[in-house]
């Protein structure tokens, strides 16, 4: 099974900051297409932000971007907004079981 | 609009069984793969199971393999999760979720609000 390891587990940042969350897969994918990022706020269901590692879901602000290099994937928020304080999860769809990372909580500094 | 409404959760003793349902509407259910994802209180997301749009293939997380069975009724637009030999650590909110794209699993774009399963003696 592919393990997905996110870092950091918690990130403290201020409005306007540029932040990057990393998700590392325990094995490389033949293509970066099989990675998605979700945002979850307390008491809410997750929201799809990015799929195919770097394709923005419809309606998601352009300050969100995704990248991939080998087995390492990144989610970057270029200028953190108040609405962005939440927990973020990566998930691989390369090979079942389709595992999530453990989550990264983005907190207000 | 897309709606996914889960039901069937409740309190069950360890070793017991439950069947969850997810009623889908607002999209062509028979054309999309469907997932079950769970979240224990205060914990992260765990992918549980997937079924292809036509029911021809199913995949499971290792921790439920042999205990849970995912199925679907495309004539009634309903997704199921049959849960047997339940354990205390199966306690979670169980969500059904819809594949983003027909024919490929790149992510899920709609989630139900979930149904709570509590396994306790």
């Amino acid at each position: 099974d592919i393990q997905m390891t996110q870092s950091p587990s918690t990130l403290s940042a201020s409005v306007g900051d540029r932040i990057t969350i990393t998700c590392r897969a325990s094995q490389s994918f033949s293509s970066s297409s099989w990675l998605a990022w979700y945002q979850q706020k307390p008491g809410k269901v997750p929201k799809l932000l990015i799929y195919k590692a770097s394709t923005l879901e419809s309606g998601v602000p352009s300050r969100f971007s995704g990248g991939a290099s080998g087995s390492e994937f990144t989610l970057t928020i270029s200028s953190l907004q108040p609405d962005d304080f939440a927990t973020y999860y990566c998930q691989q769809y390369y090979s079942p079981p389709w595992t999530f990372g453990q989550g990264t909580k983005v907190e207000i500094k | 609009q897309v709606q996914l409404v889960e039901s069937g959760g409740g309190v069950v003793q360890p070793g017991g069984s439950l069947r969850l349902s997810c009623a889908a509407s607002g999209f062509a259910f028979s054309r999309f793969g469907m997932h079950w994802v769970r979240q224990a209180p205060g914990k992260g997301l765990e992918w549980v199971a997937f079924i292809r749009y036509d029911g021809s293939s199913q995949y499971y997380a290792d921790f439920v393999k042999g205990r849970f069975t995912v199925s679907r009724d495309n004539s009634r637009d309903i997704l199921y999760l049959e849960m047997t030999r339940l354990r205390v650590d199966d306690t979670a909110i169980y969500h059904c979720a819809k594949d983003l794209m027909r024919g490929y699993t790149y992510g899920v774009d709609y989630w139900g609000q979930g149904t709570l399963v509590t396994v306790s003696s």
Side-chain angles (χ1 to χ4, degrees):
Chain A
D1 297 358
I2 299 176
Q3 310 303 319
M4 304 300 290
T5 303
Q6 281 184 239
S7 60
S9 296
T10 305
L11 192 160
S12 296
S14 302
V15 172
D17 284 352
R18 178 184 180 91
I19 67 165
T20 297
I21 298 167
T22 298
C23 183
R24 187 168 286 108
S26 59
Q27 65 186 73
S28 296
F29 302 169
S30 60
S31 157
S32 62
S33 295
W34 311 102
L35 193 285
W37 288 97
Y38 298 89
Q39 175 194 66
Q40 188 180 29
K41 297 180 180 178
K44 301 294 187 182
V45 299
K47 173 187 176 182
L48 177 66
L49 298 176
I50 287 171
Y51 60 97
K52 289 187 180 181
S54 60
T55 301
L56 219 58
E57 168 68 333
S58 175
V60 173
S62 58
R63 62 181 180 272
F64 291 90
S65 63
S69 177
S71 61
E72 188 169 289
F73 301 86
T74 56
L75 173 69
T76 297
I77 307 175
S78 60
S79 177
L80 204 60
Q81 298 302 300
D83 191 49
D84 301 337
F85 292 96
T87 300
Y88 294 85
Y89 296 91
C90 63
Q91 187 184 14
Q92 64 85 16
Y93 292 96
Y94 178 68
S95 172
W98 291 315
T99 40
F100 285 95
Q102 79 277 19
T104 295
K105 185 176 183 179
V106 177
E107 298 181 329
I108 300 173
K109 195 171 191 179
Chain B
Q1 72 282 19
V2 172
Q3 284 199 342
L4 298 168
V5 180
E6 301 91 341
S7 61
V11 181
V12 61
Q13 290 189 337
S17 300
L18 276 178
R19 187 173 85 155
L20 306 184
S21 300
C22 170
S25 61
F27 68 103
F29 179 75
S30 63
R31 295 184 178 184
F32 289 87
M34 296 293 295
H35 302 253
W36 287 98
V37 177
R38 73 184 187 184
Q39 189 166 32
K43 302 296 185 183
L45 300 171
E46 284 191 311
W47 176 82
V48 173
F50 169 81
I51 185 167
R52 239 171 84 98
Y53 69 95
D54 58 359
S56 61
S57 296
Q58 303 86 33
Y59 301 113
Y60 299 93
D62 291 346
F63 52 80
V64 304
K65 207 173 286 185
R67 300 188 299 125
F68 291 10
T69 302
V70 60
S71 61
R72 64 192 298 160
D73 184 343
N74 284 348
S75 68
R76 300 175 62 200
D77 293 354
I78 301 177
L79 175 73
Y80 300 101
L81 185 68
E82 191 78 40
M83 310 164 71
T84 65
R85 291 187 279 143
L86 282 160
R87 309 188 302 221
V88 171
D89 60 0
D90 292 321
T91 295
I93 296 174
Y94 284 74
H95 300 272
C96 63
K98 167 192 165 291
D99 256 353
L100 169 65
M101 289 187 186
R102 179 185 171 190
Y104 296 92
T105 297
Y106 290 124
V108 296
D109 59 350
Y110 287 94
W111 300 67
Q113 290 301 309
T115 186
L116 176 61
V117 172
T118 303
V119 185
S120 173
S121 54

